[in-house]
Amino acid sequence: MSPEKLLTMVGAGIFVAGTVLAAILILKKRESNDRLLRNFVVAGALPVAAALVLRGLYEARLPTFGQFEVLACYGLSIVGAYLHAVSAGRRLQGISLITMGFVAVVLGLAVPGVDVAAKPGTEGSNVLLGVHIITAFVGYGFFTLASLLAATYIVQDNNLKHKRFGFVFEALPPLEVLDNLMHRQIAIAFPIFTVSVALGVRHAWLMGGGTEWLTDPKILATAVTWLVYAI
């Protein structure tokens, strides 16, 4: 077993353990311990980050192209967004449960991809492409957490409308907190995503040698996605 796979499995296992712990605390109606859950998130992210560093050093390239690398970077980007959210000092025990569970699934899907080689041609990635990819992942992470918060908002709003005040209602933050957190996540995600799109277009222009990049499905899909977010 490669060190990258072992480290990723350890990270995924820690996220699973953290998810179980958060569920137990909620079911037993224990007082929120966001610091403990945050420590689980950090502890789970460190071995995954180490696996990416090892992959990058071993292959002498930015580790963001292979199946494992993409999913690992995506998981870490969500972790970054989560740590930003908890820095606000809000009670986020229920959100911690959802986030750790989601990241555990992402990393679980990443493990089989450790042995899958990246596509040929990625070894020559330049600085512009690297910054484009990194900012894209940061944007994805913040947008993902904003989406999870939005789904939680819908659940909490439905609980209020139907006067269901059980353990789910108690575990989730108030609507005002969720709304504020969503705005904070999107306020960071959209400008970063915009920078990523601009860098991607610039890179495509340089690599395409003209206007051929305009017909690239990825470019068109990204432009449409950016426009939807902007509206």
Side-chain angles (χ1 to χ4, degrees):
M1 180 183 298
S2 65
E4 296 99 310
K5 177 174 282 189
L6 179 59
L7 287 168
T8 306
M9 291 176 64
V10 169
I14 294 175
F15 276 102
V16 170
T19 303
V20 172
L21 174 61
I24 291 174
L25 291 174
I26 291 173
L27 291 173
K28 291 189 174 182
K29 298 182 178 181
R30 296 289 182 86
E31 184 179 351
S32 176
N33 196 330
D34 291 323
R35 177 175 294 182
L36 174 62
L37 298 178
R38 181 185 61 193
N39 290 340
F40 262 91
V41 171
V42 173
L46 289 177
V48 178
L52 285 172
V53 170
L54 286 177
R55 175 61 61 90
L57 292 175
Y58 179 74
E59 299 192 2
R61 62 174 176 81
L62 187 66
T64 56
F65 296 97
Q67 176 184 333
F68 150 70
E69 299 161 11
V70 168
L71 290 172
C73 287
Y74 178 50
L76 292 179
S77 69
I78 299 172
V79 168
Y82 166 82
L83 293 176
H84 173 266
V86 298
S87 67
R90 306 283 189 171
R91 182 178 64 85
L92 298 177
Q93 185 167 290
I95 302 301
S96 300
L97 168 64
I98 296 170
T99 303
M100 284 191 287
F102 188 83
V103 174
V105 171
V106 171
L107 295 180
L109 295 173
V111 171
V114 174
D115 301 322
V116 179
K119 294 181 180 180
T122 59
E123 63 278 356
S125 56
N126 54 39
V127 175
L128 181 63
L129 179 60
V131 177
H132 159 65
I133 293 172
I134 292 172
T135 51
F137 274 118
V138 173
Y140 296 157
F142 278 87
F143 274 133
T144 297
L145 186 57
S147 300
L148 295 175
L149 291 168
T152 304
Y153 185 100
I154 294 173
V155 171
Q156 195 72 317
D157 184 59
N158 191 57
N159 287 333
L160 282 171
K161 288 179 179 178
H162 294 86
K163 298 182 179 180
R164 291 194 293 261
F165 304 120
F167 71 90
V168 173
F169 177 81
E170 295 178 357
L172 298 178
L175 294 180
E176 182 182 356
V177 172
L178 290 169
D179 188 59
N180 179 264
L181 287 173
M182 280 188 289
H183 277 85
R184 290 185 62 193
Q185 295 290 307
I186 295 171
I188 293 175
F190 186 71
I192 292 177
F193 185 65
T194 301
V195 170
S196 177
V197 170
L199 292 174
V201 169
R202 176 61 177 170
H203 181 266
W205 175 274
L206 294 175
M207 298 300 292
T211 60
E212 294 179 2
W213 59 273
L214 289 171
T215 60
D216 189 329
K218 296 190 296 295
I219 298 294
L220 295 176
T222 302
V224 171
T225 302
W226 181 89
L227 183 61
V228 170
Y229 275 124
I231 294 173

